[in-house]
Amino acid sequence: MAEENRETQELTRQELSEQNKIRREKLAQMQEEGHDPFQIVRYDVTHHSDEIRADFDALEEKDVAIAGRLMSKRIMGKASFCNIQDRNGHMQSYVSRNDIGDEAYAAFKKFDIGDIVGIKGFVFKTKTGEISVHAKEVVLLSKSLQVLPEKFHGLKDQELRYRQRYLDLIVNPEVRDTFIKRSKIISEIRKFLDSKGFLEVETPVLQTIPGGASARPFITHHNTLDIDMYCRIALELPLKRLIVGGFERVYEIGRVFRNEGISVRHNPEFTLMELYQAYTDYNGMMDITEEMFRTVAQNVLGTTKISYGGHELDLGKPFARKTMIEAVKEFSGVDFDQVADTEEAKRIAKERHIEFEERHVKGDILNLFFEEFVEKNLIQPTFIIDYPVEISPLTKRKPDKPEFTERFELFIVGREYGNAYSELNDPIDQRSRFEYQEYLREAGDDEANMIDEDFLTALEYGMPPTGGLGVGIDRFVMLLTESVSIRDVILFPTMKPLD
């Protein structure tokens, strides 16, 4: 059976190679005859397919000019039908020798599927009721020298789809729809934040100290300065410097880079949105997060009711709020409020077969219990609040419970979609947190934060009480488009080179 498959694949390759050869011969012949399609520099399009359908009553019998990729063709003697795919969909065209002339019609019959063509003609409806364009002129605008994947089977190879996204977009319309929605989601986020008085800013991608998250950075070298630099792992610290400088509401949507594994949820470079608002706290951030998710879903999808992974969700309902301790107690039965110290926490972890490292303390182990027992059960939108200080180096402590911080993460269908704090603005406490992170780095944790002296100096000048929020744009797009993998919502995901 395997041998038969190999023979079939080899025959397919030979057939494709022959077809590609024929296409090149056609191009050479056209160029010899003075009809080189690559010499055409402009074609004035007046309408797209969806516009013609939407305005048919006004456009019937009116002239239009459309352009796109030839996706099908039916030759019927002196007249033919073809189907053109433009940016917004498909449009049928009726092409007759009597209308475009003998020479143009003979050339049209030699066009290949995948060629880029322009058609001028009038709008009409066929006997079967299909809105079409009756061609008066057909022009080859670009010759396709490669054969598109077979129509009915499409492009199914996931690896090839990600490597050749242009091909994926041509033959899989639902993929194009996903990325159109992605663009609309980002646009709606901007509209929402702008309406709240936030200022969009840009901060450096190359940094001398990677901060704002616990992640392994990519390292590069600046030749002129002769120093190592890092691709940013978060947007946080430069944005908080702007809060110190007097900008009370700022946000940035940009690429960040983390030198970590690749999975259905992780890509080494991804899009992050972070915002910071002076004179509010993590409760204010919960309010704005909930409103933003609800507003964007409504404006992009026309509803707040969505489905993901077989679960029905309603972003229009109030999001649940639970402390990490409450959630761990609910799903594991262990009440960490009753756990006396790190020694007892480690004993319980061993009993529950939770692996931990020697350096871990009680707060770390609470988080390990959360990851093991809770995350997968958080289906409906839920804010998990009050994280241990050990895993929240940039977050303000809870005044009545200083071993915990005013931090939350938003979980939906078992995944984290947002991370927010009441930002730590005490420079003395911040220095001690950084020093603890430095200790962790020396102990072998290469994802721990480095000490950022300039940021500490900024805090010493005074930062007002501030709330901050980070949302992974790619995961948000996955949620609203019901995409399984992060690679399905990133146009050009990171791939290992073929060679």
Side-chain angles (χ1 to χ4, degrees):
M1 187 67 176
E3 184 63 31
E4 290 179 5
N5 287 338
R6 280 194 292 271
E7 290 178 0
T8 300
Q9 291 173 1
E10 181 58 34
L11 286 171
T12 301
R13 278 193 290 269
Q14 291 175 2
E15 291 170 359
L16 289 175
S17 177
E18 183 63 26
Q19 290 183 51
N20 291 341
K21 179 182 177 184
I22 292 171
R23 290 184 178 217
R24 281 167 169 75
E25 290 172 350
K26 287 182 180 180
L27 173 64
Q29 183 179 353
M30 284 188 288
Q31 290 171 330
E32 288 177 8
E33 295 171 352
H35 301 299
D36 186 351
F38 298 122
Q39 293 298 314
I40 297 176
V41 297
R42 175 171 176 164
Y43 189 83
D44 292 326
V45 175
T46 63
H47 295 79
H48 290 92
S49 55
D50 60 333
E51 297 166 343
I52 293 174
R53 287 192 176 83
D55 297 333
F56 174 74
D57 290 341
L59 290 173
E60 187 174 14
E61 301 300 326
K62 300 287 179 58
D63 284 346
V64 296
I66 62 173
R69 192 175 297 275
L70 183 65
M71 298 304 289
S72 67
K73 184 174 66 169
R74 298 199 316 275
I75 303 296
M76 302 179 296
K78 298 179 180 180
S80 304
F81 282 97
C82 67
N83 205 292
I84 303 299
Q85 177 177 288
D86 64 17
R87 72 179 188 192
N88 296 337
H90 290 256
M91 178 54 60
Q92 178 175 271
S93 180
Y94 173 75
V95 184
S96 169
R97 186 177 69 181
N98 293 337
D99 294 307
I100 68 171
D102 292 345
E103 184 179 346
Y105 190 69
F108 166 77
K109 290 198 293 183
K110 294 180 181 179
F111 290 178
D112 290 306
I113 302 304
D115 287 351
I116 308 295
V117 302
I119 297 177
K120 293 180 181 178
F122 63 87
V123 177
F124 79 111
K125 190 175 289 187
T126 65
K127 293 179 180 179
T128 59
E130 183 167 355
I131 295 172
S132 307
V133 173
H134 189 124
K136 295 180 179 178
E137 176 186 280
V138 181
V139 180
L140 181 63
L141 302 176
S142 182
K143 184 66 185 168
S144 174
L145 301 179
Q146 290 283 346
V147 180
L148 292 178
E150 198 273 323
K151 176 180 176 182
F152 294 102
H153 293 97
L155 184 63
K156 303 300 182 184
D157 186 315
Q158 291 284 68
E159 183 84 2
L160 184 60
R161 284 182 53 220
Y162 299 142
R163 288 187 184 280
Q164 296 182 304
R165 182 66 84 186
Y166 47 89
L167 200 56
D168 192 21
L169 293 168
I170 292 170
V171 300
N172 293 322
E174 69 280 2
V175 173
R176 188 186 312 179
D177 291 342
T178 292
F179 287 104
I180 290 172
K181 283 182 181 174
R182 179 191 173 101
S183 181
K184 289 179 178 177
I185 288 167
I186 294 173
S187 177
E188 288 298 331
I189 290 173
R190 284 194 166 100
K191 288 179 184 177
F192 175 80
L193 294 177
D194 292 346
S195 73
K196 298 290 185 182
F198 283 85
L199 180 70
E200 184 174 11
V201 297
E202 294 176 307
T203 61
V205 172
L206 290 177
Q207 301 178 345
T208 54
I209 295 177
S214 297
R216 185 183 298 113
F218 286 94
I219 305 174
T220 187
H221 190 78
H222 192 292
N223 292 332
T224 301
L225 297 178
D226 193 24
I227 58 170
D228 283 342
M229 299 192 76
Y230 304 88
C231 294
R232 64 186 179 188
I233 58 175
L235 313 173
E236 180 166 350
L237 300 189
L239 292 177
K240 285 160 82 168
R241 286 174 168 91
L242 298 181
I243 296 292
V244 171
F247 286 162
E248 294 184 3
R249 299 188 183 201
V250 293
Y251 76 96
E252 182 174 7
I253 298 175
R255 287 290 218 202
V256 295
F257 308 84
R258 298 182 182 179
N259 198 350
E260 300 168 347
I262 297 175
S263 71
V264 294
R265 300 188 193 184
H266 298 94
N267 193 68
E269 60 173 310
F270 60 97
T271 304
L272 183 63
M273 185 285 295
E274 289 196 31
L275 65 84
Y276 293 86
Q277 178 180 341
Y279 310 113
T280 190
D281 63 1
Y282 75 147
N283 291 296
M285 291 297 98
M286 275 185 266
D287 293 339
I288 201 169
T289 303
E290 187 169 337
E291 186 181 354
M292 181 174 71
F293 271 60
R294 184 173 298 133
T295 301
V296 172
Q298 181 65 49
N299 291 347
V300 173
L301 306 178
T303 180
T304 59
K305 295 181 179 179
I306 62 175
S307 61
Y308 193 90
H311 300 287
E312 298 300 319
L313 309 168
D314 190 352
L315 301 178
K317 293 181 178 179
F319 293 6
R321 302 185 182 191
K322 300 177 181 179
T323 68
M324 181 179 280
I325 282 185
E326 289 171 343
V328 168
K329 182 179 179 181
E330 178 182 351
F331 292 104
S332 76
V334 177
D335 184 355
F336 270 77
D337 270 338
Q338 303 303 315
V339 175
D341 51 27
T342 295
E343 184 178 347
E344 184 179 356
K346 289 183 175 180
R347 177 182 59 78
I348 297 173
K350 289 177 181 178
E351 292 174 356
R352 294 300 189 93
H353 307 290
I354 300 296
E355 294 184 5
F356 58 86
E357 298 178 27
E358 189 57 37
R359 62 181 174 83
H360 284 153
V361 296
K362 177 183 171 181
D364 296 302
I365 294 172
L366 169 61
N367 187 53
L368 292 174
F369 267 75
F370 175 77
E371 292 174 349
E372 177 66 24
F373 293 105
V374 181
E375 281 192 19
K376 59 190 174 187
N377 293 304
L378 300 175
I379 305 303
Q380 297 300 322
T382 304
F383 291 117
I384 296 298
I385 66 175
D386 300 353
Y387 278 56
V389 69
E390 291 84 2
I391 61 169
S392 309
L394 297 164
T395 313
K396 185 171 287 190
R397 297 175 189 263
K398 290 183 68 65
D400 59 339
K401 209 172 184 180
E403 68 271 27
F404 290 90
T405 61
E406 292 193 346
R407 172 186 175 187
F408 75 77
E409 289 184 313
L410 171 62
F411 287 87
I412 308 173
V413 290
R415 295 181 179 180
E416 180 245 316
Y417 286 89
N419 185 21
Y421 317 145
S422 294
E423 301 296 333
L424 179 59
N425 61 345
D426 178 346
I428 298 172
D429 190 2
Q430 182 64 81
R431 178 174 292 279
S432 68
R433 307 269 195 99
F434 273 154
E435 289 173 348
Y436 178 67
Q437 290 287 304
E438 191 74 11
Y439 157 75
L440 294 179
R441 288 185 69 83
E442 293 172 356
D445 183 358
D446 55 4
E447 294 187 352
N449 284 225
M450 299 180 184
I451 296 178
D452 188 331
E453 290 291 348
D454 181 74
F455 178 66
L456 290 171
T457 299
L459 289 185
E460 288 178 355
Y461 279 101
M463 184 175 82
T466 298
L469 166 68
V471 173
I473 297 296
D474 309 294
R475 288 190 184 179
F476 190 22
V477 175
M478 288 172 65
L479 179 70
L480 296 189
T481 59
E482 206 172 354
S483 299
V484 175
S485 170
I486 194 171
R487 292 183 173 192
D488 294 330
V489 300
I490 295 177
L491 278 168
F492 301 104
T494 304
M495 305 290 291
K496 184 178 180 180
L498 288 173
D499 55 0

